[in-house]
Amino acid sequence: MLTSSTRVFLVVALLACASAAVVFRRRQNAQGGRGGRISGPKMAWLLYAVFLWFLVCPLVAMDASVPVEARVVLGAFAVSMWLRGAAELYMLYVSRNWRPPYGVGHDLGCIALVGAGLVYTGEKWAGVLDGRDVWALALVGLVLVSLLVEVAYAALFHQAVEGRTTGEDGVWFADAEQERFRRINRLTLALNVPLYGALAVWLLLGMR
């Protein structure tokens, strides 16, 4: 379904993300990195979000074998996410004034953007869909689900840390050992299973 070059890029991107996640978690937890320690479930979610939003979506959007309507929607979302990523890194590590509500606002904006894209290309999805159309639409649906999940996580985290995410001692990650993050970590672990399963099935179908 995907071109051979996109398949190679996806595999390389997945391996690179997984390796970076292992290194990041070890350094964050062993050296007391800025933002606090990060639990296994939250590291797995961060890996999932980065891979799906920042790498899968733009790579699929640039693949000529994917329906152009889906490429437009995914491409617009990818641009928005890359801009958000740059702004968030600056606010975390430079200005140190990042707050979860900023991310929630952007996530909701992305949901609206993707929804508007689906409406704009609605004629395509209202007709008879072939396997490639369904596969592309499934990716868009997975993106929407992941954004809704992230909104819930951000809201729960903001409540747990009582908004203390700014300054030198700001907390950005959910620790595995602190009681205040126990419910968040359990929920994240429970949702990681179906989210990873859906992405794995989607990738395997795309590699055919």
Side-chain angles (χ1 to χ4, degrees):
M1 187 173 294
L2 291 169
T3 61
S4 57
S5 59
T6 301
R7 296 178 192 180
V8 171
F9 282 131
L10 283 173
V11 172
V12 171
L14 178 58
L15 293 175
C17 279
S19 299
V22 171
V23 173
F24 177 80
R25 186 176 184 229
R26 286 179 178 174
R27 293 182 60 182
Q28 194 71 22
N29 291 351
Q31 301 177 10
R34 184 176 296 165
R37 296 169 59 87
I38 185 169
S39 68
K42 277 302 174 188
M43 189 68 252
W45 166 249
L46 182 59
L47 166 63
Y48 183 93
V50 169
F51 179 63
L52 176 61
W53 297 343
F54 291 88
L55 297 170
V56 171
C57 286
L59 286 172
V60 172
M62 292 185 289
D63 193 313
S65 69
V66 177
V68 66
E69 294 82 0
R71 294 173 62 194
V72 169
V73 175
L74 294 170
F77 167 73
V79 169
S80 176
M81 229 357 124
W82 272 94
L83 291 174
R84 180 256 184 89
E88 185 169 336
L89 287 174
Y90 179 85
M91 295 175 76
L92 286 172
Y93 291 98
V94 181
S95 60
R96 299 170 190 171
N97 62 341
W98 175 259
R99 297 178 184 275
Y102 300 156
V104 170
H106 181 264
D107 292 333
L108 293 176
C110 282
I111 291 172
L113 175 66
V114 172
L118 290 175
V119 171
Y120 179 74
T121 59
E123 185 176 350
K124 167 69 174 180
W125 314 118
V128 178
L129 304 179
D130 60 20
R132 188 165 299 182
D133 297 330
V134 173
W135 179 86
L137 199 56
L139 175 58
V140 176
L142 189 57
V143 166
L144 287 172
V145 170
S146 66
L147 287 169
L148 289 171
V149 169
E150 173 63 10
V151 167
Y153 287 163
L156 290 172
F157 182 83
H158 187 58
Q159 181 181 30
V161 300
E162 299 177 334
R164 296 170 184 166
T165 59
T166 62
E168 291 290 340
D169 300 321
V171 179
W172 309 335
F173 307 114
D175 191 347
E177 299 176 2
Q178 296 186 47
E179 178 64 29
R180 60 178 172 170
F181 296 132
R182 190 151 297 173
R183 183 176 66 153
I184 297 174
N185 283 320
R186 287 176 177 171
L187 176 63
T188 304
L189 177 61
L191 293 181
N192 279 347
V193 175
L195 286 170
Y196 267 87
L199 181 58
V201 170
W202 177 87
L203 283 171
L204 288 174
L205 291 174
M207 297 294 182
R208 294 172 57 184

